[in-house]
Amino acid sequence: MDLRHLRCFIALAEELHFTRAAERLHIEQSPLSRAIKELETELRVRLFERNPRGTRLTWAGQVFQKDVRRILLAVDQATANARAAASGFRGTLRIALSDGVVPRRLSELLARCRLEEPEVEIRLFEVPLSQQVRGLRNDLYDAGFARSDESGSGLIARPVWKDPLLVVLPARHPLLAFRVIPLDKVMQYPLVLCHPETCEGRHRQIKRIFRSSGFDPAIAEHVASNDVMLALVAAGYGLGLACHAQIIAYHRSEVVTRRLAEESPILTTYLLRPEADAHAQLNRFIARAISDSQVRGSDCAE
């Protein structure tokens, strides 16, 4: 078994089609078939079921796929670390990002890290929250940012950024008569919300706000990005909800934002890390993130 076997396996496991997997690997189909056969012989298990209807993973193949992904990610990180060291870097921080972390906040933090510690490379990984949590537990990431503190045992979650939740409305809408809009008025209209899988942490926080207020909103659509949410709101599909720091970067004349009349609901971004003692470079990164949040405080006043 070698890395070539594993990369062939992953390509076929994801494509479930020999021709497409071979094209992805830039090889002919016969070497791919031979590599898969050699791998199954080495493991003494069948990884794929092949029949006239197509190719699918066996249960053993599904289990093997999860471990192989972790192995290849570790190999890729080791390669990147070696190249970074050869280029003059003296360390690497692996930071996972989930739930649409606010770009402006992140860019300010990264700029400060680069200014104060330019010899430390920071690698970013955009992943779903569940993958971030697994990666932090399996030493694939050093820390991460997410909209959830429900990370379970073995991890520490610390709030770093707080943002008021805003209502996003079409430029012509009856609720624009309100300078600040009562939440019960918002609930009279369908909503365009972040997708519960793509933005798991943000979805949990917004759902918690609804539950604590006793509302069960009508959902017009779940979306994976602010761009799509703004497009649907502008088209009249429903109202959107987004934090101030996320929406401020968009300048669209066809949508308008308003604050909520109640004590302004807050969305919190958390820094997640393993419970084990952090090394010096990670401690300095965490300290910068925390100090930035203390200096800035909540952006409710913006």
Side-chain angles (χ1 to χ4, degrees), residues 56-124:
R56 67 178 183 87
L57 282 165
T58 63
W59 172 241
Q62 294 175 45
V63 172
F64 190 59
Q65 182 184 26
K66 293 179 181 179
D67 291 329
V68 170
R69 280 178 172 158
R70 190 159 54 244
I71 291 168
L72 292 179
L73 179 57
V75 169
D76 290 342
Q77 288 181 351
T79 302
N81 291 346
R83 289 173 178 167
S87 300
F89 291 107
R90 292 290 179 256
T92 301
L93 291 176
R94 304 160 299 172
I95 307 300
L97 308 174
S98 305
D99 298 328
V101 171
V102 179
R104 178 169 59 90
R105 297 281 180 73
L106 183 64
S107 62
E108 290 171 356
L109 174 60
L110 295 178
R112 183 179 171 190
C113 291
R114 188 172 184 181
L115 177 65
E116 297 179 3
E117 210 164 3
E119 70 278 8
V120 176
E121 181 190 32
I122 297 178
R123 300 189 65 212
L124 304 178

Side-chain angles (χ1 to χ4, degrees), residues 1-58:
M1 188 190 310
D2 57 30
L3 290 178
R4 180 180 62 86
H5 286 119
L6 299 184
R7 296 192 190 281
C8 287
F9 167 77
I10 284 294
L12 184 57
E14 292 177 351
E15 299 292 343
L16 293 178
H17 191 282
F18 274 87
T19 301
R20 289 197 300 267
E23 290 174 353
R24 172 172 155 181
L25 294 165
H26 306 292
I27 62 175
E28 297 295 328
Q29 186 172 330
S30 57
L32 173 61
S33 299
R34 186 163 57 250
I36 297 300
K37 184 176 180 180
E38 290 170 354
L39 183 58
E40 290 180 324
T41 300
E42 176 75 18
L43 295 173
R44 296 196 293 275
V45 298
R46 292 189 67 184
L47 300 172
F48 296 94
E49 293 284 354
R50 308 165 184 82
N51 57 54
R53 292 176 295 177
T55 302
R56 67 178 183 87
L57 282 165
T58 63

Side-chain angles (χ1 to χ4, degrees), residues 153-165:
S153 61
L155 299 178
I156 297 172
R158 174 136 187 191
V160 287
W161 301 320
K162 293 179 180 293
D163 299 282
L165 190 66

